[in-house]
Amino acid sequence: MRTVIKNAHLLDATKDYGTADLYIKNGLIEGSNLSGSVDETIDASGLTLCPAFIDLHAHLREPGQEVKEDLATGLAAAAAGGFGSVVSMANTKPTVDEAGIVADLVAKAAKIGQARLFPSASLSHGLKGETLTDFAALKKAGAVMITDDGIPVQDSHLMRRACEYARELDLIIQTHSEDPSLRQSGVMNEGLVSQRLGLPGNPISAEAIMIFRDCEIAAMTGARVHIAHVSSQRGMQVIEWFKAQGYGNITAEVTPHHLTLADSVFESFDSIYKVAPPLRTAADVAYLREVIAKGVVDSIGTDHAPHTQAEKDQDLLQAPFGIPNIEVTFPLLYTDLVEKGYLSLSKLIELLTVGPAKVMKWDAPTLEAGKAADLVLLDLKGEKTVNPKMFKSKAKFSPWSGQSLKGWPVKTFVAGKQVFSV
Amino acid sequence: MIAGSKPVSLTPPANSTESLVKKKHLFDFKDWSLQEVHALFDTTDVMAQVLERTIKRVPALQGFTVGTLFFENSTRTRLSFERAARAQSADVLSFAAGASSLSKGESMKDTLRTIDQMQSDVYVVRHAASGVPYQLSKWTDAVIVNAGDGRRAHPTQALLDAYTFKKNFPNFDSFEGKRLAIMGDVMHSRVARSNIELWTLLGGEVSLCGPATLLPQEFEQFKNVSLSHNVYEAAEGAHAVMALRLQSERMTSGLLPSIAEYQERYQVTEQVMKHAHSDALVMHPGPMNRDVEISGELADSERSVIEKQVANGVPIRMAVLYTLLVGKR
């Protein structure tokens, strides 16, 4: 099978190739501006072709919470968002804490044939924060990351031992860094807005303290520690401080919602905005925008967290945490950050491709010959309104519903196979 | 005709201030104007006259149905609203969470939609979570009156507090320069938040006092609001002093060391009132922990308008129901 994508603007995190024809053969990139017969020609005039995105942080809810999302809908949603690879989170029911569950997920995802699935496994059995899971067996079954994401690891000693053991296996630990005793039952950022609205607050110090602990344990153990969904300036500054000391084993992630929404959105009392860690102040959002341009952040992870509409229709104390966003991540960030001049397009692509690959020690996704033909064609000019009803995800609601965005994925390819097309 | 049975006219004249109330719902006072609040007070005066008659009932809301949706238990506020509805000949649908399908797992949205089939014109909503009245308003065409949501707002309480204050002075002119001191657990109090909102909207000032664990510093950023940790300082020159209920769980959750220390430092007493304005009123939104946040002696004193607050709750809620259902048309 040989395909050519003609007249696209070829762009990856390392290079702008200009307008060219990209040839794909047997699932790999063959090269650009070649010749010879092809089985398929795709005209991509006016579109931009990039390596498909990598999401190190998505809640696909399988096994056990298929009412919210399942592998088929979650991986299709990822593909629709331009993602070719997804690391699924382990806070399912049951928890992904046994090798058999990991193997099942890998096998099932392969049959679905959408975005590639790379499951994470939990750090502790049942996310209870008490005993370590069998990291080696989980890795052998296909787990690429160890994380209790969703529930912070409260026990510092357990985190230390997890890091030591993960280092031995060269597994990456991803942390949900919030101090549970400080965040208490907070449903939003603690501050002027939460006090005015009378909603229980979750202070920034809960995040900053736990990020410090997790970085310090990374420093002590030498383990690769990926700090997920950093939401605050003070939390980010802790990471900057450690990075400035040369701790290359510490990496950091930010999410699309923490880059675009501030806590004042809660004035609407819409539980759609309830997310953990919470949306912070406008000053925090501004700071995160500043640092991603400077290279402190290694990856943008979606933290796509689907729920049912009924769950989100509960009151703000009861409604679950999480925003479904994987299908709007690129257009949102392109429109809000690149178009408005906060970030270059190549930097955004880096944070969604080469950046996360480097965090995982994966081969850098570029458009060079020989690389996997995991690609996304983007329409950077056409505007389209966010319509959650059209989502592939089961969670058909969005904080950005009705917003007009640019940068929508038009086609997504995984190993040369088209897995999404508008 | 029996004296006093003649219905008071509730048809506002064409140029009445009542027509100024443009709001569909009463969630809080976020977007209310001074004129709208004064229009409500004017209507309250009319309602108060109704309640002074022998037959305390007018047909103003005949044919309307008032649904009280109390997802959180409250006896006094529900009784007050139901009294206000019936005194205007409205039908009342009463929903209380404890005895309902909520305990069988029904969502608040489904509860609302079910009751909506019985065609209420207005829902009086009480809920433990802030924002629920806003959420419910998306799922019904009926009017929503907030009867207390989480720590957020209890607007009819604030209205009756301000009304009680205003009516206590025969030649009352304005809230300008008048200061309300609120003492106690401000953080968890929807009464405090609504009073801050309304009292400052009316042109007054508010001083807040309580232990640092129960008095968020962020309140200092509110306009015409000051903070203090000293009751005497907060009471100094105040025109009304309101004590807030202190719940015993504040001790077990590590927010306060002991009741004794709280009483010693924050109880509103005769001694505290000596620092206040000579005409200052003593208020409490109830239910009261006698001798915890307020001395029993002071609660029963001549300065105390605590019972008057409860009494004024009825005409205030009559005015709110009337204004939102018919008075604004």
Side-chain angles (χ1 to χ4, degrees):
Chain A
M1 180 77 179
R2 192 167 185 243
T3 305
V4 61
I5 301 174
K6 288 184 85 78
N7 302 319
H9 177 199
L10 305 192
L11 187 68
D12 65 29
T14 57
K15 198 173 162 188
D16 185 341
Y17 303 76
T19 301
D21 302 340
L22 190 81
Y23 285 75
I24 301 167
K25 196 176 176 187
N26 300 329
L28 301 177
I29 295 170
E30 194 186 359
S32 53
N33 295 337
L34 308 175
S35 57
S37 66
V38 291
D39 302 295
E40 189 189 12
T41 302
I42 295 167
D43 179 27
S45 301
L47 303 178
T48 302
L49 186 65
C50 303
F53 309 137
I54 298 170
D55 185 5
L56 302 184
H57 196 154
H59 295 269
L60 301 186
R61 305 300 189 198
E62 206 171 322
Q65 296 175 313
E66 290 83 357
V67 65
K68 298 173 192 267
E69 193 81 288
D70 59 32
L71 286 185
T73 57
L75 293 172
F83 290 88
S85 299
V86 176
V87 175
S88 59
M89 292 296 106
N91 61 336
T92 48
K93 284 183 179 164
T95 307
V96 184
D97 58 4
E98 284 180 11
I101 302 175
V102 175
D104 284 352
L105 289 173
V106 171
K108 198 167 174 187
K111 278 189 203 146
I112 289 167
Q114 283 281 341
R116 300 175 198 256
L117 177 75
F118 298 91
S120 72
S122 70
L123 183 151
S124 68
H125 289 106
L127 302 178
K128 287 186 185 139
E130 290 165 0
T131 51
L132 295 181
T133 54
D134 294 348
F135 291 6
L138 291 163
K139 181 181 179 183
K140 200 172 166 197
V144 298
M145 174 189 275
I146 296 295
T147 179
D148 269 3
D149 183 67
I151 304 204
V153 177
Q154 185 154 21
D155 183 336
S156 301
H157 177 255
L158 188 77
M159 182 57 96
R160 171 194 177 168
R161 298 310 179 196
C163 284
E164 286 171 340
Y165 198 56
R167 191 190 61 138
E168 173 193 334
L169 296 165
D170 198 23
L171 263 173
I172 189 160
I173 300 260
Q174 184 233 55
T175 70
H176 181 136
S177 302
E178 286 189 288
D179 180 347
S181 64
L182 256 180
R183 79 169 178 173
Q184 293 218 323
S185 55
V187 303
M188 66 173 294
N189 180 54
E190 182 175 316
L192 182 61
V193 181
S194 73
Q195 296 299 0
R196 193 170 65 233
L197 301 185
L199 284 166
N202 173 353
I204 281 170
S205 58
E207 174 173 87
I209 284 170
M210 212 52 140
I211 288 178
F212 184 87
R213 183 203 71 174
D214 291 336
C215 287
E216 197 57 53
I217 288 174
M220 169 171 66
T221 60
R224 290 159 60 206
V225 171
H226 190 48
I227 311 287
H229 46 48
V230 182
S231 64
S232 63
Q233 175 173 354
R234 294 188 67 80
M236 188 59 79
Q237 284 171 329
V238 173
I239 295 167
E240 288 173 62
W241 189 71
F242 277 92
K243 284 194 166 194
Q245 292 169 62
Y247 289 106
N249 54 324
I250 296 169
T251 52
E253 169 192 88
V254 292
T255 72
H257 40 278
H258 291 118
L259 286 168
T260 53
L261 299 171
D263 59 354
S264 55
V265 294
F266 267 94
E267 303 271 2
S268 67
F269 295 102
D270 194 332
S271 64
I272 206 166
Y273 299 112
K274 186 174 169 184
V275 63
L279 304 173
R280 303 294 185 184
T281 67
D284 289 291
V285 175
Y287 190 80
L288 294 183
R289 289 178 170 206
E290 212 177 285
V291 291
I292 56 166
K294 286 196 295 191
V296 176
V297 174
D298 298 276
S299 64
I300 288 173
T302 64
D303 199 3
H304 174 69
H307 294 288
T308 67
Q309 183 68 54
E311 288 170 318
K312 276 293 197 184
D313 279 344
Q314 296 173 91
D315 66 70
L316 281 165
L317 304 182
Q318 301 294 323
F321 294 97
I323 292 175
N325 59 11
I326 202 163
E327 288 168 76
V328 299
T329 290
F330 187 82
L332 175 70
L333 297 178
Y334 180 74
T335 308
D336 256 26
L337 300 184
V338 177
E339 287 256 290
K340 291 182 185 164
Y342 293 101
L343 198 64
S344 69
L345 176 57
S346 74
K347 186 69 191 174
L348 177 57
I349 290 169
E350 180 193 326
L351 288 164
L352 288 164
T353 58
V354 173
K358 203 169 164 193
V359 167
M360 299 304 289
K361 294 192 178 175
W362 291 344
D363 186 35
T366 66
L367 296 179
E368 287 161 35
K371 298 280 183 179
D374 287 14
L375 303 163
V376 58
L377 260 179
L378 301 163
D379 179 4
L380 299 182
K381 296 180 194 92
E383 280 194 45
K384 210 172 78 183
T385 302
V386 177
N387 179 4
K389 288 201 180 83
M390 301 300 285
F391 283 174
K392 310 268 185 198
S393 169
K394 288 186 181 179
K396 302 201 186 301
F397 48 85
S398 170
W400 303 281
S401 180
Q403 277 192 32
S404 185
L405 302 178
K406 287 184 189 175
W408 291 91
V410 175
K411 287 179 192 297
T412 306
F413 303 86
V414 171
K417 187 187 144 212
Q418 186 176 302
V419 293
F420 167 74
S421 180
V422 283
Chain B
M1 183 171 267
I2 303 164
S5 69
K6 188 168 169 261
V8 174
S9 169
L10 284 169
T11 312
N15 61 349
S16 159
T17 48
E18 284 177 45
S19 61
L20 281 171
V21 179
K22 307 277 191 234
K23 302 292 177 291
K24 178 175 181 184
H25 308 288
L26 177 58
F27 296 134
D28 46 55
F29 303 107
K30 199 164 80 183
D31 49 1
W32 281 65
S33 69
L34 196 57
Q35 290 76 9
E36 285 175 310
V37 175
H38 282 303
L40 265 182
F41 286 158
D42 291 345
T43 308
T44 304
D45 287 340
V46 178
M47 298 305 178
Q49 288 168 32
V50 169
L51 293 168
E52 279 164 15
R53 295 178 179 237
T54 314
I55 305 294
K56 299 170 174 47
R57 186 182 287 245
V58 286
L61 296 183
Q62 200 156 35
F64 286 97
T65 302
V66 176
T68 54
L69 279 183
F70 277 60
F71 295 96
E72 182 188 69
N73 288 329
S74 156
T75 310
R76 64 179 65 210
T77 305
R78 187 157 58 86
L79 285 177
S80 183
F81 269 106
E82 291 180 3
R83 177 84 182 88
R86 293 199 173 100
Q88 295 177 91
S89 307
D91 291 318
V92 175
L93 276 179
S94 187
F95 170 90
S100 78
S101 47
L102 272 192
S103 49
K104 296 172 191 160
E106 188 178 62
S107 72
M108 66 176 182
K109 184 178 177 182
D110 287 332
T111 298
L112 174 75
R113 283 156 77 148
T114 301
I115 294 176
D116 225 17
Q117 296 309 307
M118 303 173 203
Q119 299 184 324
S120 269
D121 300 289
V122 55
Y123 292 106
V124 176
V125 178
R126 163 69 64 93
H127 200 286
S130 302
V132 164
Y134 281 88
Q135 289 176 285
L136 295 183
S137 70
K138 291 188 289 189
W139 303 322
T140 176
D141 293 330
V143 172
I144 304 280
V145 174
N146 185 0
D149 64 326
R151 307 170 182 178
R152 158 78 183 138
H154 192 356
T156 57
Q157 177 72 42
L159 283 169
L160 72 88
D161 291 338
Y163 185 76
T164 301
F165 181 79
K166 172 182 147 107
K167 296 315 273 188
N168 197 71
F169 303 99
N171 298 315
F172 186 84
D173 56 347
S174 155
F175 285 87
E176 300 273 341
K178 304 291 193 304
R179 192 155 53 80
L180 168 68
I182 303 177
M183 316 288 206
D185 184 0
V186 172
M187 182 161 80
H188 296 94
S189 177
R190 53 183 163 230
V191 174
R193 284 185 181 77
S194 271
N195 266 301
I196 292 167
E197 209 177 24
L198 182 63
W199 198 273
T200 54
L201 169 66
L202 288 166
E205 293 157 36
V206 176
S207 46
L208 301 173
C209 179
T213 48
L214 299 177
L215 183 59
Q217 298 170 53
E218 285 85 357
F219 281 91
E220 207 147 43
Q221 297 175 48
F222 295 179
K223 204 179 159 216
N224 292 330
V225 173
S226 60
L227 267 59
S228 165
H229 300 301
N230 181 310
V231 274
Y232 301 105
E233 193 181 289
E236 196 67 48
H239 299 80
V241 176
M242 178 181 293
L244 297 173
R245 175 178 169 79
L246 184 76
Q247 291 179 333
S248 54
E249 70 200 48
R250 305 297 171 234
M251 263 55 74
T252 51
S253 55
L255 288 164
L256 284 177
S258 69
I259 294 233
E261 185 150 305
Y262 184 86
Q263 289 165 317
E264 172 66 24
R265 300 186 66 210
Y266 293 103
Q267 189 182 89
V268 180
T269 59
E270 294 277 12
Q271 198 59 36
V272 170
M273 292 308 293
K274 284 185 183 153
H275 292 257
H277 191 271
S278 56
D279 290 337
L281 305 183
V282 173
M283 305 178 110
H284 195 296
M288 181 165 59
N289 289 312
R290 206 169 262 270
D291 296 322
V292 178
E293 66 267 4
I294 185 168
S295 76
E297 183 190 25
L298 184 66
D300 297 333
S301 72
E302 282 194 352
R303 287 171 175 278
S304 168
V305 291
I306 296 171
E307 289 177 356
K308 192 71 197 157
Q309 289 172 270
V310 178
N312 283 335
V314 179
I316 279 285
R317 287 166 180 133
M318 287 173 78
V320 166
L321 293 174
Y322 175 79
T323 301
L324 295 180
L325 285 173
V326 296
K328 64 181 175 183
R329 286 177 195 165

